[in-house]
Amino acid sequence: MDVLELARLQFAVTGSLHFLFVVLTLGLAPLVAIMHTRWALSGRPLQERMTRFWGQIYVINYALGIVTGLVMEFQFGLSWSGLTHYAGDVFGAPLAMEALVAFFLESTFLGLWIFGWGRLPKWAHLACIWLVTATAYASAFFIMVANSFLQNPAGAVLSGGRLELTDFGALLTNEALVFSFPHVLGAGLFTGAMVLVGASAYQLRRRTADVEFFTRSLRIGVVTASIGIFLTMGFGYAQFAGVQEGKFQSGTPGLIPLGFMTEGGNLLALVVLFFMLPLIAVLPRWRWTHPILIALTPVPFVMAILGWLARELGRQPWMIWEKLTVADAMSPQLTAGMVTASTIGFVAVLGMLAIVDYVLIARVIKRGPDDVALGAAAEQRSPALSY
């Protein structure tokens, strides 16, 4: 492999590993916020336990996932300085907004939510998790703004050999963004919900004592997953119109089959979930369905990666569609040895974080809701300080 192929491989592998964390974060955040809302309104201990348990899984995934995002930032400076020079004034703006939202606002509100149990007023504490969700979605929005600019460079003109932003509104209403952003949000809901489904089915199959807890979680997961996969498929197929028109996708061999394979997998999951929806009342008691639901848990992660491959391969050989090639976007001083060494380092770090993430999540799921660190300190304080 030459240096360009190595650089592309590096970004593909690290980007895919990072997105595994992102898609789960986008799915779990609103589910945890809804659970917390139901607890704040009802005051039921069961709703509190659900909020703490699934919130613990969210916190683990977020804490490790945010580190993987730093690696993505390093790669732009290390391997793609040509992109920064040519379009940094445009492409860098949404990335900077994402950094402000994700690394500052989202982290701040999440910290307040984590350490606010029993300390913050009830509604202020609830507001924190909804602000976490809002900033997570805002972060995804700005990332998709940047990516959509690569697909369709709207709102910018060439001046002095560099792209300059002339219409910020066009950047935010890019035709490549209109369908792709809801598509990603739907994929996130599908992923987060299937984690609820798989974990709940695992516990119910083990004949857990927390039958009501995981029965409710399973039902929430199946309904949410059905909504998420429906949105994913709808907006996913809508993006094929752009492929046919050739506005922001090329005819890279294999793109269309890969895209339809991805949507075909989504369709299969949709059929399975909708088949189970009418049976949701008895589903938790049917142990033969539990292995099926557990086996479906990794499906959204696989589909998410295949979807990104379809989107990114469709732009080749362009980094910015019909403006800048991938070869010209690469840093000129790179050598194959440099890229190989950095790839080994990046993949080792991200791979380790991914393994640690899923091991920790698996341990939390296996232990169940009675041994959760999130909010545990609040139980030791005076009842007058908690709610």
Side-chain angles (χ1 to χ4, degrees), residues 328-351:
D328 290 334
M330 188 178 66
S331 301
Q333 70 275 16
L334 283 182
T335 64
M338 293 168 60
V339 179
T340 300
S342 60
T343 299
I344 293 173
F346 288 156
V347 172
V349 171
L350 296 185

Side-chain angles (χ1 to χ4, degrees), residues 11 16 20 32 54 74 108 110 119 122 148 153 164 179 191 199 206 231 254 270 303 342:
F11 200 89
S16 297
L20 293 176
V32 174
W54 298 113
F74 283 133
T108 299
L110 183 59
R119 294 186 177 92
K122 177 170 65 173
S148 297
E164 292 184 358
F179 295 119
T191 304
R206 295 177 66 200
L231 293 174
L270 179 65
M303 293 296 101
S342 60

Side-chain angles (χ1 to χ4, degrees), residues 130-147:
W130 278 111
L131 287 170
V132 168
T133 304
T135 50
Y137 276 38
S139 176
F141 174 76
F142 286 115
I143 286 295
M144 292 308 300
V145 168
N147 181 268

